Amino acid sequence: MDLIVGYGPEQFQDVTVHQGAPGEPAVIETVTVRPIRVYDKRPDGSLEELFGEAKTAALNAFWADVERFNQQENPK
């Protein structure tokens, strides 16, 4: 099974889970760790990569949306 895991606010991990034989534990392997690249879609449909404060603001807004979604899906 292959997964992509958000790791902190600015990195992704590509993770592979290798399931062992029945009764054996699964082995989790981090394949790569890479920075998250953030883009803004322009009115003409093109993309512009964001850096610095603009990137940080966009990532903070994204992770806040993820947190709100998770709370709606899994209320405590």
Side-chain angles (χ1 to χ4, degrees):
M1 168 176 25
D2 293 327
L3 306 167
I4 296 177
V5 178
Y7 179 73
E10 295 189 15
Q11 289 185 333
F12 280 130
Q13 288 185 344
D14 295 313
V15 174
T16 298
V17 178
H18 305 281
Q19 184 61 51
E24 296 277 326
V27 176
I28 300 172
E29 171 189 9
T30 300
V31 179
T32 60
V33 177
R34 55 195 162 111
I36 296 173
R37 295 175 72 184
V38 178
Y39 295 88
D40 182 32
K41 188 171 183 180
R42 309 291 296 202
D44 66 0
S46 65
L47 299 176
E48 177 183 6
E49 188 166 8
L50 301 178
F51 297 96
E53 290 181 18
K55 177 181 178 180
T56 300
L59 283 170
N60 288 341
F62 170 78
W63 289 118
D65 284 345
V66 169
E67 184 62 30
R68 279 191 295 277
F69 173 82
N70 287 338
Q71 288 176 359
Q72 291 172 0
E73 292 294 309
N74 301 306
K76 292 182 181 181

